[in-house]
Amino acid sequence: MDVTIGNDPLVNWENFQQARSELGANFVRILGYFREDGIKSVDRIEDAMRSQNATAMVIPAHTLKGEARQFGADPLSDVAETIEMIARGCIERRETPTEALEHVVKLRPLFETTLDMLEREANPLVARKPAAFGRRPVL
């Protein structure tokens, strides 16, 4: 099942497969780094939102944006980019990042759902339903 936001899938599987192909044997390790970095980035963005610190949002949002895009997680990357751009604008205007709140609220569930999808697809031991006699296995 492909999860979507509106009509857009959470993962661009063509980009995901391209990254998998380009990274080769390093793919699973790099995906693990994405998990670790992503958790830290989401935590830092949420902490910055709670403390109304736009400056502290920029780097973790920028990091999450780029790493998500690498794996084809375009909606996640777009939300992170929106947070980054709002934070940068707030820094320039010397404002608190209150307008980022709705995006920050969406970020963790979107990250977790997207990460689950990426890891499930990357897992070579994907659970498969047993085949009935004379039938092909159902994936």
Side-chain angles (χ1 to χ4, degrees):
M1 182 174 95
D2 208 15
V3 180
T4 61
I5 294 181
N7 293 327
D8 298 327
L10 290 187
V11 178
N12 177 326
W13 294 114
E14 186 176 308
N15 289 358
F16 175 86
Q17 291 301 338
Q18 182 178 351
R20 186 180 218 169
S21 183
E22 289 173 2
L23 295 170
N26 294 317
F27 179 80
V28 173
R29 181 174 48 85
I30 303 289
L31 185 59
Y33 293 154
F34 173 63
R35 166 184 269 287
E36 293 170 13
D37 292 346
I39 291 168
K40 289 176 190 172
S41 291
V42 171
D43 286 345
R44 287 179 181 144
I45 291 166
E46 289 173 343
D47 289 345
M49 187 74 237
R50 279 190 283 281
S51 65
Q52 293 292 295
N53 185 343
T55 303
M57 283 184 182
V58 174
I59 290 175
H62 179 79
T63 300
L64 185 59
K65 171 187 72 174
E67 290 181 352
R69 187 84 60 206
Q70 174 184 6
F71 289 105
D74 297 338
L76 177 60
S77 181
D78 292 344
V79 170
E81 181 176 29
T82 299
I83 293 168
E84 177 189 1
M85 293 298 102
I86 290 170
R88 288 182 187 277
C90 289
I91 292 167
E92 290 174 11
R93 295 185 304 273
R94 298 176 192 248
E95 296 175 352
T96 58
T98 53
E99 67 181 285
L101 181 59
E102 70 178 281
H103 305 288
V104 173
V105 168
K106 294 178 196 174
L107 190 62
R108 183 173 298 276
L110 180 58
F111 172 73
E112 290 173 352
T113 302
T114 302
L115 183 63
D116 286 346
M117 292 174 67
L118 294 172
E119 289 179 334
R120 193 171 348 149
E121 185 66 25
N123 186 349
L125 304 174
V126 173
R128 302 181 193 288
K129 294 180 182 178
F133 180 74
R135 295 189 182 176
R136 299 171 87 187
V138 178
L139 303 177

